[in-house]
Amino acid sequence: MTDLTIKVEENPTQEDIRTFIRNLVDYNASQVGEDISYQLAIFIRDSDGKIVGGLVGETYWEWMFVSQLWVSEALRGQGYGRELMLKAEAEAKKRGCHHCYLDTFSFQALGFYQKLGYQIFGTLQDFPPGHQRYFLQKRNL
């Protein structure tokens, strides 16, 4: 290949991003099989249907990834976060998952996840500045 360029593109087109991701996904599939992921969403709603808590993630390659967990301040400390995690783990098992990973910040819920059996496998110091970002996993759901 000749005449290649490498440059920062501040406003890439969505088509270019999709093409790039499709190429990466195709390569991954050639190495480990098709990358089929399924969204996971569990919400707590009040009597008006307003979301007051929930969990969002996905399942793939026999793992569950929890990308966000949030419970409104008025409901914290009442077991709702734990219930969300247990429901997510149960659903992940139904989907054939055996493990879970997630991340949290030092100002969020490290102890909460550790009480549920999650173990730190990585830490970023000063992310954001003055805090840490923790990466946790739980094997054998």
Short mmCIF file of all heavy atoms in Angstrom, two decimals, residues 37-43 54-59 63-68 84-85 87-93 95 97 100:
data_model
loop_
_atom_site.label_atom_id
_atom_site.label_comp_id
_atom_site.label_asym_id
_atom_site.label_seq_id
_atom_site.Cartn_x
_atom_site.Cartn_y
_atom_site.Cartn_z
N SER A 37 -24.12 -9.43 20.55
CA SER A 37 -24.36 -8.85 21.87
C SER A 37 -25.84 -8.50 21.99
O SER A 37 -26.51 -8.19 21.00
CB SER A 37 -23.49 -7.62 22.10
OG SER A 37 -23.86 -6.58 21.23
N TYR A 38 -26.33 -8.57 23.20
CA TYR A 38 -27.72 -8.25 23.49
C TYR A 38 -27.77 -7.21 24.59
O TYR A 38 -27.10 -7.37 25.63
CB TYR A 38 -28.48 -9.51 23.93
CG TYR A 38 -28.50 -10.59 22.88
CD1 TYR A 38 -27.57 -11.62 22.90
CD2 TYR A 38 -29.44 -10.55 21.86
CE1 TYR A 38 -27.58 -12.61 21.92
CE2 TYR A 38 -29.45 -11.53 20.87
CZ TYR A 38 -28.53 -12.55 20.91
OH TYR A 38 -28.53 -13.52 19.95
N GLN A 39 -28.54 -6.18 24.37
CA GLN A 39 -28.68 -5.16 25.39
C GLN A 39 -29.40 -5.73 26.61
O GLN A 39 -30.22 -6.64 26.50
CB GLN A 39 -29.48 -3.96 24.86
CG GLN A 39 -28.72 -3.14 23.87
CD GLN A 39 -29.48 -1.88 23.50
OE1 GLN A 39 -30.70 -1.82 23.55
NE2 GLN A 39 -28.73 -0.84 23.15
N LEU A 40 -29.08 -5.16 27.75
CA LEU A 40 -29.72 -5.54 29.00
C LEU A 40 -30.15 -4.25 29.69
O LEU A 40 -29.33 -3.34 29.87
CB LEU A 40 -28.73 -6.30 29.89
CG LEU A 40 -29.21 -6.68 31.28
CD1 LEU A 40 -30.40 -7.64 31.19
CD2 LEU A 40 -28.08 -7.32 32.07
N ALA A 41 -31.42 -4.14 30.00
CA ALA A 41 -31.94 -2.95 30.68
C ALA A 41 -32.96 -3.39 31.72
O ALA A 41 -33.87 -4.15 31.42
CB ALA A 41 -32.57 -1.99 29.69
N ILE A 42 -32.75 -2.93 32.94
CA ILE A 42 -33.67 -3.21 34.04
C ILE A 42 -33.94 -1.87 34.71
O ILE A 42 -33.00 -1.19 35.13
CB ILE A 42 -33.06 -4.19 35.06
CG1 ILE A 42 -32.59 -5.48 34.37
CG2 ILE A 42 -34.04 -4.48 36.19
CD1 ILE A 42 -31.73 -6.37 35.24
N PHE A 43 -35.20 -1.47 34.79
CA PHE A 43 -35.52 -0.16 35.35
C PHE A 43 -36.42 -0.28 36.57
O PHE A 43 -37.23 -1.20 36.68
CB PHE A 43 -36.23 0.71 34.31
CG PHE A 43 -35.39 1.00 33.11
CD1 PHE A 43 -35.81 0.64 31.84
CD2 PHE A 43 -34.15 1.62 33.23
CE1 PHE A 43 -35.04 0.90 30.73
CE2 PHE A 43 -33.37 1.89 32.11
CZ PHE A 43 -33.82 1.53 30.86
N GLY A 54 -32.02 2.08 37.81
CA GLY A 54 -31.90 1.07 36.78
C GLY A 54 -30.49 0.62 36.53
O GLY A 54 -29.53 1.12 37.14
N LEU A 55 -30.40 -0.30 35.62
CA LEU A 55 -29.13 -0.90 35.21
C LEU A 55 -29.18 -1.06 33.70
O LEU A 55 -30.19 -1.50 33.15
CB LEU A 55 -28.96 -2.25 35.89
CG LEU A 55 -27.70 -3.05 35.59
CD1 LEU A 55 -27.30 -3.88 36.79
CD2 LEU A 55 -27.87 -3.94 34.37
N VAL A 56 -28.09 -0.69 33.05
CA VAL A 56 -27.97 -0.86 31.60
C VAL A 56 -26.65 -1.57 31.33
O VAL A 56 -25.63 -1.27 31.95
CB VAL A 56 -28.02 0.50 30.88
CG1 VAL A 56 -27.75 0.35 29.39
CG2 VAL A 56 -29.35 1.19 31.12
N GLY A 57 -26.69 -2.50 30.42
CA GLY A 57 -25.49 -3.22 30.05
C GLY A 57 -25.72 -4.05 28.81
O GLY A 57 -26.62 -3.76 28.02
N GLU A 58 -24.91 -5.07 28.65
CA GLU A 58 -25.06 -5.96 27.52
C GLU A 58 -24.42 -7.31 27.85
O GLU A 58 -23.63 -7.41 28.79
CB GLU A 58 -24.45 -5.38 26.25
CG GLU A 58 -22.97 -5.09 26.34
CD GLU A 58 -22.44 -4.40 25.10
OE1 GLU A 58 -22.79 -4.82 23.97
OE2 GLU A 58 -21.68 -3.43 25.25
N THR A 59 -24.80 -8.31 27.09
CA THR A 59 -24.22 -9.64 27.26
C THR A 59 -23.64 -10.10 25.92
O THR A 59 -24.24 -9.87 24.87
CB THR A 59 -25.27 -10.66 27.75
OG1 THR A 59 -26.38 -10.70 26.83
CG2 THR A 59 -25.78 -10.31 29.13
N TRP A 63 -20.16 -13.29 28.75
CA TRP A 63 -19.92 -12.28 29.78
C TRP A 63 -21.05 -11.27 29.78
O TRP A 63 -21.64 -10.99 28.75
CB TRP A 63 -18.61 -11.53 29.51
CG TRP A 63 -17.38 -12.28 29.87
CD1 TRP A 63 -16.77 -13.28 29.16
CD2 TRP A 63 -16.57 -12.07 31.02
NE1 TRP A 63 -15.64 -13.70 29.82
CE2 TRP A 63 -15.49 -12.96 30.96
CE3 TRP A 63 -16.65 -11.19 32.11
CZ2 TRP A 63 -14.50 -13.03 31.93
CZ3 TRP A 63 -15.66 -11.25 33.07
CH2 TRP A 63 -14.60 -12.17 32.98
N MET A 64 -21.31 -10.71 30.94
CA MET A 64 -22.19 -9.57 31.06
C MET A 64 -21.32 -8.36 31.38
O MET A 64 -20.39 -8.45 32.18
CB MET A 64 -23.21 -9.76 32.19
CG MET A 64 -24.04 -8.50 32.47
SD MET A 64 -25.34 -8.71 33.72
CE MET A 64 -24.40 -9.00 35.21
N PHE A 65 -21.62 -7.23 30.73
CA PHE A 65 -20.96 -5.97 31.03
C PHE A 65 -22.02 -5.01 31.56
O PHE A 65 -23.03 -4.77 30.90
CB PHE A 65 -20.30 -5.38 29.78
CG PHE A 65 -19.81 -3.97 29.99
CD1 PHE A 65 -18.87 -3.68 30.97
CD2 PHE A 65 -20.28 -2.95 29.21
CE1 PHE A 65 -18.42 -2.38 31.17
CE2 PHE A 65 -19.83 -1.64 29.39
CZ PHE A 65 -18.90 -1.36 30.37
N VAL A 66 -21.81 -4.50 32.76
CA VAL A 66 -22.70 -3.49 33.33
C VAL A 66 -22.08 -2.13 33.02
O VAL A 66 -21.02 -1.80 33.54
CB VAL A 66 -22.88 -3.67 34.86
CG1 VAL A 66 -23.72 -2.55 35.43
CG2 VAL A 66 -23.50 -5.04 35.15
N SER A 67 -22.73 -1.38 32.14
CA SER A 67 -22.17 -0.08 31.78
C SER A 67 -22.64 1.03 32.71
O SER A 67 -21.87 1.95 32.98
CB SER A 67 -22.49 0.27 30.32
OG SER A 67 -23.87 0.26 30.09
N GLN A 68 -23.86 0.94 33.19
CA GLN A 68 -24.37 1.94 34.14
C GLN A 68 -25.31 1.30 35.15
O GLN A 68 -26.12 0.44 34.80
CB GLN A 68 -25.14 3.07 33.43
CG GLN A 68 -24.28 4.04 32.66
CD GLN A 68 -24.13 3.65 31.20
OE1 GLN A 68 -24.89 2.88 30.66
NE2 GLN A 68 -23.10 4.19 30.56
N LEU A 84 -31.12 -4.87 41.66
CA LEU A 84 -30.84 -4.69 40.24
C LEU A 84 -29.70 -5.59 39.79
O LEU A 84 -29.78 -6.25 38.74
CB LEU A 84 -30.50 -3.23 39.95
CG LEU A 84 -31.65 -2.24 39.98
CD1 LEU A 84 -31.12 -0.81 40.02
CD2 LEU A 84 -32.58 -2.44 38.79
N MET A 85 -28.64 -5.64 40.58
CA MET A 85 -27.49 -6.48 40.22
C MET A 85 -27.86 -7.96 40.22
O MET A 85 -27.46 -8.70 39.31
CB MET A 85 -26.33 -6.22 41.17
CG MET A 85 -25.63 -4.89 40.96
SD MET A 85 -24.87 -4.70 39.34
CE MET A 85 -23.58 -5.95 39.41
N LYS A 87 -30.84 -9.29 39.73
CA LYS A 87 -31.69 -9.55 38.56
C LYS A 87 -30.87 -9.60 37.28
O LYS A 87 -31.10 -10.44 36.42
CB LYS A 87 -32.78 -8.50 38.44
CG LYS A 87 -33.93 -8.67 39.42
CD LYS A 87 -35.06 -7.68 39.12
CE LYS A 87 -36.19 -7.81 40.10
NZ LYS A 87 -36.81 -9.12 40.14
N ALA A 88 -29.89 -8.70 37.16
CA ALA A 88 -29.03 -8.69 35.98
C ALA A 88 -28.21 -9.97 35.90
O ALA A 88 -28.08 -10.57 34.83
CB ALA A 88 -28.12 -7.46 36.01
N GLU A 89 -27.65 -10.39 37.01
CA GLU A 89 -26.87 -11.63 37.02
C GLU A 89 -27.74 -12.83 36.66
O GLU A 89 -27.30 -13.71 35.91
CB GLU A 89 -26.21 -11.83 38.38
CG GLU A 89 -25.07 -10.86 38.65
CD GLU A 89 -24.47 -11.01 40.03
OE1 GLU A 89 -24.89 -11.91 40.80
OE2 GLU A 89 -23.54 -10.23 40.35
N ALA A 90 -28.96 -12.87 37.17
CA ALA A 90 -29.87 -13.97 36.84
C ALA A 90 -30.20 -13.98 35.35
O ALA A 90 -30.21 -15.04 34.71
CB ALA A 90 -31.15 -13.87 37.68
N GLU A 91 -30.45 -12.81 34.79
CA GLU A 91 -30.74 -12.73 33.36
C GLU A 91 -29.51 -13.12 32.54
O GLU A 91 -29.63 -13.80 31.52
CB GLU A 91 -31.20 -11.31 32.98
CG GLU A 91 -31.50 -11.11 31.51
CD GLU A 91 -32.60 -12.00 30.95
OE1 GLU A 91 -33.49 -12.43 31.74
OE2 GLU A 91 -32.59 -12.26 29.73
N ALA A 92 -28.34 -12.70 32.99
CA ALA A 92 -27.11 -13.06 32.28
C ALA A 92 -26.93 -14.58 32.26
O ALA A 92 -26.55 -15.15 31.23
CB ALA A 92 -25.90 -12.39 32.94
N LYS A 93 -27.21 -15.23 33.37
CA LYS A 93 -27.12 -16.70 33.42
C LYS A 93 -28.08 -17.32 32.41
O LYS A 93 -27.71 -18.27 31.72
CB LYS A 93 -27.45 -17.21 34.83
CG LYS A 93 -26.35 -16.99 35.82
CD LYS A 93 -26.77 -17.62 37.15
CE LYS A 93 -25.96 -17.12 38.30
NZ LYS A 93 -26.41 -17.68 39.58
N ARG A 95 -28.95 -16.14 29.71
CA ARG A 95 -28.38 -15.89 28.38
C ARG A 95 -27.09 -16.66 28.15
O ARG A 95 -26.43 -16.48 27.14
CB ARG A 95 -28.12 -14.40 28.19
CG ARG A 95 -29.38 -13.57 28.22
CD ARG A 95 -29.07 -12.09 28.06
NE ARG A 95 -30.25 -11.27 28.14
CZ ARG A 95 -30.28 -9.97 27.82
NH1 ARG A 95 -29.17 -9.38 27.39
NH2 ARG A 95 -31.39 -9.29 27.93
N CYS A 97 -24.34 -16.57 30.15
CA CYS A 97 -23.14 -15.90 30.67
C CYS A 97 -22.68 -16.54 31.97
O CYS A 97 -23.50 -16.98 32.77
CB CYS A 97 -23.42 -14.41 30.91
SG CYS A 97 -23.77 -13.50 29.39
N CYS A 100 -19.08 -11.53 34.81
CA CYS A 100 -19.50 -10.15 34.64
C CYS A 100 -18.33 -9.22 34.88
O CYS A 100 -17.45 -9.51 35.69
CB CYS A 100 -20.63 -9.82 35.63
SG CYS A 100 -21.19 -8.10 35.54
#
